[in-house]
Amino acid sequence: MKILISNDDGYQAPGIVALYEALKGLADVEVVAPEHNNSAKSNALTLHSPLYVHRASNGFRYVNGTPADCVHIALTGLLGYRPDLVVSGINNGANMGDDTIYSGTVGAAMEGYLFGIPAIAFSQTERGWAHLDVAGQKAAELVRHLLPTLSSGDDAGRRPAPWLLNVNIPCRPAEQIRGFKVARLGRRHAAEQVITQTNPRGETMYWIGSAGPAKDDAEGTDFHATAQGFASITPLQVDLTDHERLAYWVPTAAAMGAGTP
Ligand code: MN
């Protein structure tokens, strides 16, 4: 089994080192991660400047690009093989609810998923790396459980359908984590106000505000599960189509006319 690890906090972040240490005994593990912090880069790809790959003294490879760049490069030529699993994280802070739209941690995993490879994004629910060793153990527990299901396919060589999991692990001592719980995404309120400051040249600078507090943290959500001490597992899909409203928009399209052939 081969696992590709990436993240969005950068190749030197404690979270990716912990993830590598936790998984290296389970499979052949390689790390390709951003050189710098690329949090909130979602699925962004770098199309207008060259990317370079370097190898750090610990063997990790790092790229002057985004999380999705790292996985994209790895899967389209750098590795020279197809990993059985793509794992991202462990992120410094929660990726719950609306966070998943912005998250580079999820973006790295999603890039693997888009290439047809099962993928998991791991995050800790709070920033600061408290109990990171526990998060690493939990990640390894889940990966160890899933690895046997990642067989190379049926007799015809068809691969099983890939999946994408978003996992948030509470920052708690091991004995205070109650296990894993499957949960849907909650919702957050809109982000806090932008923060303005004046730079030494008298120009106004704008800093994006913090993510909003939870708006939907009802039972069944990732917010609720992690607050109760569970590591939440949310299966994600990529199709953004509003299937329920497809019919609603048909008259609008019709009213626009058939157009000229
Ligand atoms: Mn991050």
Side-chain angles (χ1 to χ4, degrees), residues 85-96:
L85 180 67
V86 174
V87 177
S88 177
I90 301 168
N91 188 58
N92 186 19
N95 278 311
M96 301 191 288

Side-chain angles (χ1 to χ4, degrees), residues 8-9 39 91 105:
D8 74 358
D9 295 326
S39 294
N91 188 58
T105 307

Side-chain angles (χ1 to χ4, degrees), residues 106-125:
V106 174
M110 193 179 288
E111 191 69 7
Y113 174 75
L114 292 173
F115 275 86
I117 299 171
I120 313 174
F122 286 107
S123 303
Q124 283 197 294
T125 54

Side-chain angles (χ1 to χ4, degrees), residues 3-7 16 19-20 23 29-33 87-89:
I3 300 175
L4 170 65
I5 296 181
S6 193
N7 77 342
I16 197 167
L19 188 57
Y20 173 79
L23 300 186
V29 179
E30 284 214 68
V31 173
V32 182
V87 177
S88 177

